[in-house]
Amino acid sequence: MNHQLTDELLALALEAARRAGTLLRDGRPEDLGVAATKSSAIDVVTEMDIASEKLITGFLAEARPQDGFLGEEGSSTEGTSGVRWVIDPIDGTVNYLYGLPSWAVSIAAEIDGETAVGVVAVPMRGETFRAVRGGGAYLGDRPLECRTAPRLAEALIATGFGYRTERKAGQAEVVHRLLTRVRDIRRGGAAAIDLCDVAAGRLNGYYERGINPWDYAAGELIAREAGALTGGRPGEKLTGELAVAAAPGVFEPLQALLEELGAWHD
Ligand code: LIP
């Protein structure tokens, strides 16, 4: 990899995430409401999602006008440099809407289609996670290492649920059967934070069906660089169909159990 390029992309992602995080933390209106809905009436966008995406894409495009963009709130351009930014301006929008602290700004940079840099800022925790492919994962200056569990039955596993009723019904079936097979289940509400918490050893694993590239691009790289394994159904890459990330020793039985429980379909 071209280290000069990844250093530049990391510095830009850190600064964009810092600026957006400050805007979101300090600029959240007391009477924040829903600006629009997407896949269902509970899949919401606030004015702050839109303002955050505008700030991030404006800052990055000024520094690197040839790059492409994929953003949750509609940014989508090809670019000509081989670099594409994958952006979630607020991951955990429902938490943000309600004033709960678990929301993040997630920014990844792909080089020729492969995620090379990932930054996840969690402003209400005062934490910023980062990783460069092949260079390890860090929380601030602290190198991260994921945490395994002796058995799946002793593993703390996070998950999430979609916005559509049919999908939730399937997810409820899976979690109903999984709960008795693991230590406990967490539902934080932001995939990017769950993936970073796997990286930091605060969770042994995470899985979810139906998340999007902007939710997982940065967090997956951070989890992998902290030693976690990531994927989808057995033998497949992590995609929206199914995302699984866990420490070695937990990943394999978790992925096999999710396959048995049909976690990849509605
Ligand atoms: C959210 C994800 C979360 C999932 C929610 C939603 P958003 O992303 O991070 O894991 O369970 O349904 O998709 O919509 O807050 O960017």
Side-chain angles (χ1 to χ4, degrees):
M1 276 217 301
N2 175 341
H3 292 293
Q4 205 180 332
L5 177 59
T6 52
D7 285 353
E8 181 194 350
L9 299 178
L10 176 64
L12 288 169
L14 285 167
E15 181 57 18
R18 191 191 65 74
R19 291 186 187 195
T22 303
L23 170 82
L24 293 166
R25 189 193 58 214
D26 299 346
R28 181 182 175 279
E30 277 302 318
D31 60 347
L32 181 67
V34 172
T37 57
K38 296 190 279 190
S39 61
S40 78
I42 54 168
D43 184 1
V44 298
V45 184
T46 72
E47 63 183 90
M48 297 303 282
D49 293 78
I50 297 162
S52 174
E53 184 156 315
K54 206 169 150 204
L55 183 158
I56 295 165
T57 53
F59 173 77
L60 295 173
E62 195 179 322
R64 296 186 47 91
Q66 316 302 329
D67 294 353
F69 287 95
L70 176 68
E72 178 169 21
E73 306 316 335
S75 305
S76 179
T77 56
E78 283 298 319
T80 53
S81 64
V83 172
R84 184 174 76 150
W85 297 95
V86 183
I87 298 159
D88 195 339
I90 307 180
D91 186 42
T93 297
V94 173
N95 286 342
Y96 186 77
L97 177 68
Y98 278 73
L100 289 167
S102 266
W103 52 269
V105 177
S106 175
I107 303 178
E110 297 173 343
I111 303 177
D112 300 327
E114 290 269 343
T115 308
V117 167
V119 168
V120 175
V122 191
M124 303 306 281
R125 288 187 188 172
E127 293 185 337
T128 300
F129 298 85
R130 66 187 158 93
V132 173
R133 186 164 20 113
Y138 293 83
L139 170 51
D141 292 331
R142 181 163 68 85
L144 296 176
E145 204 180 324
C146 61
R147 180 204 299 246
T148 197
R151 298 179 304 132
L152 185 59
E154 289 164 37
L156 185 62
I157 305 295
T159 190
F161 308 116
Y163 291 120
R164 286 186 301 103
T165 309
E166 316 81 71
R167 174 147 301 164
K168 282 189 191 181
Q171 289 172 323
E173 288 293 319
V174 172
V175 83
H176 172 73
R177 294 177 61 197
L178 188 67
L179 182 56
T180 51
R181 310 282 295 270
V182 298
R183 178 189 294 271
D184 205 348
I185 295 285
R186 295 288 180 268
R187 196 294 192 243
I193 299 180
D194 289 335
L195 288 162
C196 290
D197 282 344
V198 170
R202 296 166 176 169
L203 294 166
N204 301 116
Y206 159 77
Y207 78 96
E208 185 165 352
R209 169 167 167 72
I211 57 173
N212 292 291
W214 44 80
D215 298 313
Y216 63 74
E220 183 188 13
L221 180 68
I222 292 164
R224 288 185 76 89
E225 288 296 326
L229 301 175
T230 68
R233 294 183 68 184
E236 292 179 14
K237 282 184 162 182
L238 185 157
T239 64
E241 179 185 51
L242 182 65
V244 188
V250 174
F251 179 84
E252 303 84 346
L254 176 64
Q255 189 186 44
L257 181 56
L258 291 169
E259 177 72 9
E260 188 190 314
L261 299 180
W264 76 94
H265 62 75
D266 295 341

